[in-house]
Amino acid sequence: MANLKDIRKRIASVKSTQQITQAMKMVAASKLRRAQDAITQARPYADRLETLLGNLAGANEGGDGPAHPLLQRRERVRVAEVLVLSSDRGLCGGFNSNIQRRAMRFVAEHQRDYDEIRISVVGRKGNDFLKRRKGFTHGKYHSDLLGDVRYPRAHHLAEDLSSRFLAGELDAVFLLYNKFQSVISQEVTLLQLLPIEPPEAREVEDVPQGVDFLFEPSQDDVLTRLVPAYLTTQVWRALLESVASEQGARMSAMDSATRNAGDMIDRLTLIANRTRQAAITKELMEIVSGAEALK
């Protein structure tokens, strides 16, 4: 059994750890409120734009083909890229491990479907994990995006993906991220970003079927403006969802760690009291034994 001094040192160490986890929980709670407000404000616009583009993508079906090249399906999808959104820091529970396992599962399930699978990463933790793995082509590592998520940065990332799709470097683009549900719940989501799917595959609701759309000035002009805006909005939304999920997962993990530290302090305090009581009892017995020996 450890002596009383060692136990007290352990209690002091656990208390210091508890103070750190408590502080991290409070910081995560503060950041979560801002991130949750941001994604709550972004969702309605992103949902309506997705509904609009989903229907416009199918408006020209049966004609001469999609009116915008980003809506065009390739006859053979040779190269697919998955953009994985992770975090720059750890200590956030299963946030990163869940997204990493889903990325590896995608590679295992679709190795025969594509000639090449590329995985690009946002976030240092995802990059550190994937650069040690094989079975796919390592794509780009996008750093310094999560510290300050802004629409122009999402626009730059969406432009990079769309330009490589138009150049024929990519035939399909997927977005893999954690969708924020609540502080204790994040849903791993895989979204096909390019090419944009028709409304049947999206199961778009609240839109009458068979509606003829009138375009002014023209269908090409409308889609030329809306399609890039859609791509940027989807990337921006995914980044906001990922940031909110990260802070929620970190808050939950630090809360659990703080409570576990408290339980450990209670157990160690009980052991320290028992050890101290045993030491006092031993000293009393030695005193009594010495007094009896002197009689």
Side-chain angles (χ1 to χ4, degrees):
M1 180 181 292
N3 57 42
L4 187 59
K5 184 178 180 180
D6 292 337
I7 296 174
R8 285 174 174 170
K9 284 184 177 179
R10 181 73 183 279
I11 292 175
S13 176
V14 175
K15 283 184 177 179
S16 298
T17 302
Q18 186 184 42
Q19 291 176 352
I20 294 173
T21 56
Q22 180 67 25
M24 292 186 66
K25 173 189 172 183
M26 295 175 64
V27 172
S30 176
K31 292 183 177 179
L32 174 62
R33 178 176 293 275
R34 295 195 298 269
Q36 193 171 358
D37 290 342
I39 188 58
T40 301
Q41 295 173 8
R43 278 175 178 171
Y45 175 76
D47 289 340
R48 297 308 299 172
L49 189 58
E50 181 179 6
T51 301
L52 176 62
L53 258 295
N55 283 275
L56 293 183
N60 200 44
E61 287 188 353
D64 298 330
H68 196 282
L70 293 179
L71 306 176
Q72 182 180 1
R73 296 182 180 183
R74 308 285 166 82
E75 293 183 1
R76 182 184 177 190
V77 182
R78 296 180 174 84
V79 182
E81 176 164 324
V82 182
L83 180 61
V84 179
L85 306 186
S86 65
S87 66
D88 287 330
R89 296 187 300 156
L91 298 178
C92 48
F95 174 84
N96 287 304
S97 59
N98 291 338
I99 207 80
Q100 291 161 3
R101 284 196 298 267
R102 184 64 182 88
M104 292 298 95
R105 184 153 61 91
F106 180 90
V107 173
E109 292 175 349
H110 297 280
Q111 279 183 333
R112 297 182 179 181
D113 298 335
Y114 310 118
D115 295 340
E116 180 183 355
I117 298 177
R118 298 181 185 177
I119 296 186
S120 296
V121 185
V122 173
R124 183 171 56 85
K125 286 297 180 180
N127 184 60
D128 292 342
F129 173 82
L130 293 173
K131 71 182 181 182
R132 299 190 299 268
R133 299 299 187 275
K134 297 181 180 180
F136 57 89
T137 302
H138 294 269
K140 296 184 177 181
Y141 167 42
H142 303 277
S143 59
D144 301 328
L145 281 177
L146 300 175
D148 185 15
V149 179
R150 295 185 179 181
Y151 192 84
R153 295 185 176 184
H155 176 68
H156 177 74
L157 183 56
E159 267 194 338
D160 175 68
L161 294 172
S162 61
S163 63
R164 288 191 287 141
F165 180 83
L166 293 174
E169 181 181 343
L170 303 174
D171 299 310
V173 178
F174 298 89
L175 203 54
L176 183 59
Y177 64 96
N178 281 289
K179 184 177 181 180
F180 179 78
Q181 301 288 346
S182 67
V183 176
I184 60 174
S185 176
Q186 299 85 35
E187 179 185 356
V188 177
T189 302
L190 180 67
L191 170 68
Q192 180 176 321
L193 195 62
L194 290 171
I196 298 172
E197 294 179 332
E200 303 84 60
R202 288 260 184 214
E203 298 182 356
V204 179
E205 300 178 354
D206 301 328
V207 178
Q209 298 296 323
V211 173
D212 292 329
F213 291 91
L214 298 178
F215 295 91
E216 180 64 35
S218 67
Q219 183 179 13
D220 290 341
D221 292 334
V222 171
L223 293 179
T224 298
R225 294 291 301 273
L226 287 182
V227 170
Y230 163 80
L231 291 176
T232 301
T233 302
Q234 291 302 314
V235 173
W236 181 51
R237 173 181 179 170
L239 289 170
L240 293 177
E241 295 272 10
S242 182
V243 170
S245 297
E246 177 191 351
Q247 299 305 329
R250 179 170 291 112
M251 179 181 171
S252 179
M254 292 302 99
D255 178 65
S256 178
T258 301
R259 286 187 281 105
N260 290 339
D263 294 340
M264 183 177 292
I265 291 172
D266 292 340
R267 291 196 301 270
L268 290 173
T269 301
L270 182 60
I271 294 174
N273 291 337
R274 288 176 177 175
T275 303
R276 180 172 175 271
Q277 184 179 8
I280 293 173
T281 303
K282 181 180 179 181
E283 290 177 0
L284 289 174
M285 291 184 65
E286 290 176 350
I287 293 172
V288 171
S289 299
E292 291 292 331
L294 293 176
K295 289 182 181 181

